Amino acid sequence: MSFIELFVISVSLAMDAFAVSVSNGLMLPKIKKRHAVTFGAFFGVFQFVMPLIGYMLASGFSKYITAFDHWIAFILLALIGGNMIKESFSEEEDVETTQSNIMSFKNLTVLAVATSIDALAVGVTFALVDSGNIWFSCSIIGIVAFVLSYIGVMLGKKISGVFQTYAERVGGCVLVIIGTKILIEHLFF
């Protein structure tokens, strides 16, 4: 596999993480660079680890993983997105509560897992097509996810003024749409 092919795969895998990062950047009231680095680190690490897991499981379990991975991603993203939409209609939370909910370890882990499940399937594919050095491939995938997630949070911060009133609803809708897109792609394409 050429570097260009690997880079294109990496960008494709990172697009969901980028979109989630933008939507969370919209909702973070007081964004600092460390928030963007934290998002990038979570998404980058999971995008690095998941293809490795897929590669290692490919010997006997690939058909079981790909049979339900899209449902897991859909359910996780729909639950988080639905909760965000519901909370957007409730009474105003203070800025610190919103900030801590978005930046919580639990929230970041669930989002990172949900957006990197397709990377697990790519790892299975890497094993089946003998893609070369798996560590190098996973490193590129992780680095691209880190960079695009970082950019996504900062972009969300830049455009948040436009969407400030509806940021949480927009963010929740984006998550539900991404989950639905993943489900539709796997079921019909």
Side-chain angles (χ1 to χ4, degrees):
M1 176 179 303
S2 73
F3 181 78
I4 299 295
E5 290 171 320
L6 178 60
F7 184 74
V8 169
I9 289 170
S10 300
V11 170
S12 298
L13 289 172
M15 293 294 23
D16 290 343
F18 172 76
V20 169
S21 296
V22 170
S23 68
N24 280 279
L26 285 168
M27 295 180 307
L28 282 167
K30 299 178 184 175
I31 298 177
K32 297 184 173 121
K33 285 190 180 186
R34 68 182 165 88
H35 297 119
V37 169
T38 301
F39 266 88
F42 267 85
F43 289 117
V45 166
F46 276 90
Q47 290 282 358
F48 169 81
V49 169
M50 293 297 248
L52 276 177
I53 293 170
Y55 185 86
M56 292 175 192
L57 293 176
S59 57
F61 300 108
S62 64
K63 63 183 175 213
Y64 302 113
I65 294 167
T66 57
F68 63 87
D69 63 346
H70 50 283
W71 284 105
I72 294 171
F74 169 72
I75 290 167
L76 290 174
L77 291 171
L79 285 173
I80 293 169
N83 189 50
M84 288 166 54
I85 293 167
K86 182 186 86 165
E87 287 179 3
S88 74
F89 290 102
S90 66
E91 294 298 315
E92 288 292 316
E93 288 185 345
D94 65 25
V95 169
E96 297 303 318
T97 303
T98 301
Q99 190 92 11
S100 64
N101 288 342
I102 292 171
M103 297 304 299
S104 73
F105 181 81
K106 177 184 171 188
N107 186 57
L108 290 173
T109 301
V110 169
L111 290 173
V113 167
T115 58
S116 64
I117 288 177
D118 52 350
L120 184 81
V122 167
V124 170
T125 305
F126 282 173
L128 300 175
V129 298
D130 190 28
S131 64
N133 184 337
I134 188 65
W135 293 98
F136 178 75
S137 298
C138 292
S139 296
I140 297 301
I141 291 169
I143 290 166
V144 168
F146 173 85
V147 170
L148 288 179
S149 297
Y150 178 90
I151 291 170
V153 171
M154 298 311 284
L155 180 63
K157 173 186 177 182
K158 293 274 188 230
I159 62 175
S160 67
V162 176
F163 298 108
Q164 194 66 43
T165 315
Y166 301 103
E168 197 164 16
R169 282 181 215 155
V170 169
C173 289
V174 167
L175 294 183
V176 172
I177 289 167
I178 291 170
T180 304
K181 176 191 83 79
I182 290 169
L183 184 64
I184 289 170
E185 284 176 349
H186 284 270
L187 291 178
F188 300 109
F189 300 105

